[in-house]
Amino acid sequence: MSQRNTGVTVQEVNAHACPVREVLDRVAGKWSVQILVAAAHGPIRFTELERGIEGISRRMLTLTLRNLERDGLVTRTVHPTVPPKVEYELTPVARELHETLQRLTDWAERNRHYVADARAAYDTEHAPELVAE
Amino acid sequence: MSQRNTGVTVQEVNAHACPVREVLDRVAGKWSVQILVAAAHGPIRFTELERGIEGISRRMLTLTLRNLERDGLVTRTVHPTVPPKVEYELTPVARELHETLQRLTDWAERNRHYVADARAAYDTEHAPELVAE
DNA sequence: CTGCATCCGATTGGATACTG
DNA sequence: CAGTATCCAATCGGATGCAG
């Protein structure tokens, strides 16, 4: 490890990077992950999501749900009642994804202070007078 | 599991979702992950990154590196030679992150076809005539 | 070689109002 | 209840040129 570049190395790992970006692009939106998390416990209704996810607009909730549905990550079930009732549920594939995201959460919680400190230190060092303001 | 919402459930998981978003925001940029991957093998120079990551502009490389440095995920080492030589290297924390991202890659590779098919099916079903074009 | 500054287009996301 | 439509502001990212 820790070797210098050997010419092909970067190109090679770049090929491995593409699938990662595929995932992240799919989850990159501001709300996708929170929806996945909120729906992880079982079927959940549109309004429940809207109330449960602080700050989300109806528009973004709809758009994000559509994208998740399109990618086969959530199912949309319309109950033809009155008033209408629509339930969203994670697919098995999305549940796997959710578990994987849990690892990321763990990492974030373990290192949130480290990152926050690093950020503060960096800011202090690069713009001392601006930080105070 | 599979229970309906119990009122606090969504709020509760939402609290868990925040750290996830912290992570993702940090890695959400178009290039952050590819840089992390490219630098995972050891110290790497600016130009090597620029050549290795297909399509990245010098501007975005600089900006993304600065953000990663700010968050304590990469170190920047300037060798005061002529011509100047700057090497970037992942911090231990970033290496952990990189491993976690690997899980995401695995998920992506396992399910890339599933997602692609779901997407194609969705598009076919929702805009049949537009898909052909 | 390693950056920063500027301009500009594209995309994202919020606010609001309207509908079956 | 569960959306859709429209408008608008902010951010992101590419292209280019200049500099230590």
Side-chain angles (χ1 to χ4, degrees):
Chain A
M1 297 303 162
S2 275
Q3 82 221 349
R4 194 70 54 75
N5 78 318
T6 52
V8 289
T9 312
V10 176
Q11 306 288 349
E12 193 179 346
V13 298
N14 207 31
H16 280 72
C18 294
V20 193
R21 276 245 51 90
E22 267 182 50
V23 176
L24 290 175
D25 286 347
R26 190 157 297 116
V27 155
K30 191 174 177 181
W31 305 106
S32 304
V33 173
Q34 294 182 60
I35 291 179
L36 287 179
V37 172
H41 292 351
I44 189 169
R45 300 182 57 173
F46 186 88
T47 312
E48 291 172 349
L49 285 168
E50 189 177 11
R51 281 194 302 253
I53 300 175
E54 187 91 8
I56 195 171
S57 65
R58 192 163 297 170
R59 172 186 134 91
M60 287 316 295
L61 181 55
T62 302
L63 285 179
T64 309
L65 282 171
R66 287 293 170 280
N67 284 328
L68 292 175
E69 187 193 358
R70 187 164 99 106
D71 288 339
L73 298 182
V74 304
T75 58
R76 178 170 177 271
T77 309
V78 181
H79 302 271
T81 60
V82 44
K85 172 177 175 179
V86 180
E87 282 186 323
Y88 293 91
E89 188 171 16
L90 261 49
T91 63
V93 167
R95 290 186 187 281
E96 280 185 46
L97 174 60
H98 177 251
E99 280 182 40
T100 307
L101 289 174
Q102 200 70 30
R103 322 277 176 169
L104 272 187
T105 312
D106 295 343
W107 180 90
E109 282 173 350
R110 280 202 312 274
N111 301 109
R112 87 178 343 175
H113 291 308
Y114 168 85
V115 173
D117 292 352
R119 200 178 274 237
Y122 184 96
D123 292 345
T124 303
E125 187 162 346
H126 288 77
E129 55 279 344
L130 294 179
V131 177
E133 175 208 355
Chain B
M1 299 304 163
S2 274
Q3 80 214 351
R4 194 69 55 75
N5 77 321
T6 52
V8 288
T9 313
V10 176
Q11 306 287 350
E12 190 179 348
V13 299
N14 209 30
H16 279 69
C18 294
V20 194
R21 277 245 49 89
E22 267 181 51
V23 176
L24 291 176
D25 286 346
R26 189 156 299 115
V27 154
K30 191 174 177 183
W31 305 106
S32 304
V33 174
Q34 293 182 62
I35 291 179
L36 288 179
V37 173
H41 292 353
I44 188 168
R45 298 183 58 177
F46 186 88
T47 312
E48 291 171 349
L49 285 168
E50 190 177 10
R51 282 194 302 253
I53 301 175
E54 188 88 10
I56 194 171
S57 64
R58 191 163 296 171
R59 172 184 133 93
M60 287 316 294
L61 180 55
T62 302
L63 285 179
T64 309
L65 281 171
R66 287 293 168 279
N67 283 329
L68 293 175
E69 187 193 357
R70 188 163 100 106
D71 288 339
L73 298 181
V74 303
T75 58
R76 178 171 177 270
T77 309
V78 180
H79 302 273
T81 59
V82 45
K85 171 177 174 179
V86 181
E87 283 186 322
Y88 293 91
E89 188 171 15
L90 262 50
T91 63
V93 167
R95 291 185 187 282
E96 280 184 46
L97 174 59
H98 178 250
E99 280 182 41
T100 307
L101 290 174
Q102 200 70 30
R103 321 277 177 170
L104 273 187
T105 312
D106 295 344
W107 180 89
E109 282 173 350
R110 280 202 311 276
N111 302 109
R112 88 179 340 176
H113 291 309
Y114 168 85
V115 173
D117 291 353
R119 199 179 273 237
Y122 183 95
D123 291 346
T124 302
E125 187 162 346
H126 287 76
E129 53 279 345
L130 295 179
V131 178
E133 178 213 351

